Amino acid sequence: MSVRSGRQTNVWSDNWCTLSPIRAFITPRAIANAGFSLDTKVADVIADDGHWLWPQAWYDLFPVLINISPVQITPDVNDRLCWKDLEGNLQGFSSWEVWNCLRNRCQRITWASSVWFSQCIPRHSFHLWLVVKNKLKTQDRMAVWEAGSETNLRLMCCPLCNYDRDSRNHLFFQCVYASEVWRKVKSLVDMDDVTDSWDSIIQWMDLNAHSRTAESIICRIVVAASTYFVWQERNSRLFNQNRRSASVLAKVIIDTVRLKIMGFRFGRCPKQQKILDRWLISKKNIDIDPG
């Protein structure tokens, strides 16, 4: 507590001085015997001349009281609840400040803004986050867990290409099927330097995480949508025996991204007009910024 008027701060229980809480070394019985109550405020133990109203005997019993400096009282200003930050500075109390001090800290993630951004499709971003963290239940991870019988583990193969066990790096996008989908989709964005390997994709995400251009934002949406629908197709083949060709799945991804782009607000510059033409979006279907 930052003491101003002293009327909102409990002298015994609140943390307002270097010895707080005072109740830790002065018992409730000693407090009552001195004529105070457990609800006594800081202002109640300060005399008009600014000195403390501790009983004289307390200085012998509790000599540490000498170390409490006098407090300047401002009668018309309420006491303020504060929080000491990591640097030791007093800040206004807020849940954010408390959480910022208490939370575990790890190295800052460079790709975070490529996954979470205001124009993202939330379920796609959540899925992409799982992909980046390699938390999907792919067959290579299940084999490590020893899930299922030994025979079933030997029979595991990628449902998309029927070759080898699926894994994060295989599905995105080294699998023959997924690679074909990825090539068809990325042809609509400026990602020519990005290969079918996951390392190449994550490197692009690192480098472009903070770009605010329309092209970069669309690229991020394309990456998330591609991983989402490839994983959806993998599960559909594995559990429902439903199959779509690479061309059909690529069209689903492109249509989903196109629908998202139609909600953007575009300007009249040639570069943005080129984006609309590439995605076959008519100007009459979108909001054009008059500026």
Side-chain angles (χ1 to χ4, degrees):
M1 294 293 293
S2 177
V3 177
R4 310 292 180 75
S5 67
R7 291 296 176 188
Q8 290 77 41
T9 303
N10 187 289
V11 68
W12 317 117
S13 302
D14 286 336
N15 185 12
W16 60 274
C17 68
T18 56
L19 299 179
S20 297
I22 294 177
R23 193 173 176 178
F25 60 91
I26 300 181
T27 64
R29 174 173 294 182
I31 292 171
N33 290 340
F36 299 117
S37 74
L38 295 180
D39 294 327
T40 299
K41 307 301 181 184
V42 172
D44 298 329
V45 295
I46 299 178
D48 294 338
D49 59 3
H51 291 88
W52 296 109
L53 296 176
W54 314 123
Q56 191 61 39
W58 278 15
Y59 287 105
D60 297 325
L61 294 172
F62 317 110
V64 292
L65 291 176
I66 301 173
N67 298 325
I68 302 180
S69 303
V71 175
Q72 185 67 37
I73 292 297
T74 307
D76 299 329
V77 182
N78 289 339
D79 298 340
R80 180 187 179 197
L81 185 62
C82 299
W83 183 267
K84 187 176 291 186
D85 63 19
L86 293 177
E87 286 73 37
N89 302 316
L90 288 178
Q91 304 287 347
F93 180 85
S94 66
S95 57
W96 180 90
E97 193 66 50
V98 174
W99 169 242
N100 193 43
C101 291
L102 297 180
R103 66 184 176 88
N104 291 327
R105 281 173 167 73
C106 299
Q107 185 177 358
R108 184 175 292 274
I109 301 300
T110 55
W111 46 259
S113 296
S114 285
V115 176
W116 309 106
F117 51 99
S118 58
Q119 300 88 353
C120 72
I121 301 175
R123 65 179 182 274
H124 293 184
S125 290
F126 178 73
H127 178 266
L128 180 58
W129 176 73
L130 292 176
V131 174
V132 175
K133 302 289 286 184
N134 198 16
K135 295 298 184 180
L136 296 178
K137 293 182 179 179
T138 50
Q139 292 171 359
D140 64 322
R141 297 188 67 227
M142 294 176 64
V144 174
W145 299 338
E146 298 182 357
S149 67
E150 185 177 350
T151 301
N152 289 337
L153 291 175
R154 285 200 304 266
L155 293 175
M156 278 185 176
C157 63
C158 173
L160 300 178
C161 65
N162 298 319
Y163 180 77
D164 204 2
R165 288 176 181 168
D166 66 23
S167 63
R168 192 268 307 274
N169 290 2
H170 176 78
L171 290 172
F172 313 114
F173 297 95
Q174 292 176 349
C175 166
V176 175
Y177 175 90
S179 178
E180 184 180 352
V181 173
W182 175 239
R183 286 197 300 270
K184 290 178 180 295
V185 172
K186 78 170 185 175
S187 65
L188 294 176
V189 291
D190 293 332
M191 299 183 72
D192 296 334
D193 296 336
V194 181
T195 67
D196 298 340
S197 72
W198 182 250
D199 289 340
S200 178
I201 294 170
I202 200 70
Q203 183 179 11
W204 182 92
M205 292 170 62
D206 284 340
L207 295 175
N208 296 273
H210 301 290
S211 175
R212 297 180 179 272
T213 65
E215 181 65 30
S216 176
I217 291 171
I218 293 172
C219 288
R220 282 179 261 172
I221 295 174
V222 165
V223 171
S226 298
T227 58
Y228 178 84
F229 284 107
V230 166
W231 180 253
Q232 188 182 72
E233 177 67 17
R234 178 259 192 195
N235 290 339
S236 180
R237 293 189 180 199
L238 190 61
F239 301 112
N240 300 324
Q241 307 302 316
N242 295 328
R243 304 171 66 88
R244 290 177 289 188
S245 67
S247 298
V248 170
L249 187 64
K251 186 177 185 303
V252 171
I253 296 171
I254 291 170
D255 289 344
T256 301
V257 177
R258 180 185 291 115
L259 187 62
K260 183 65 179 180
I261 295 173
M262 290 174 65
F264 289 3
R265 187 179 180 87
F266 283 90
R268 298 181 181 276
C269 70
K271 193 171 184 179
Q272 295 192 359
Q273 294 299 317
K274 182 180 178 181
I275 293 175
L276 298 178
D277 294 339
R278 182 184 298 177
W279 286 88
L280 304 178
I281 299 176
S282 174
K283 297 178 184 178
K284 66 181 180 180
N285 293 328
I286 61 170
D287 188 7
I288 298 292
D289 190 342

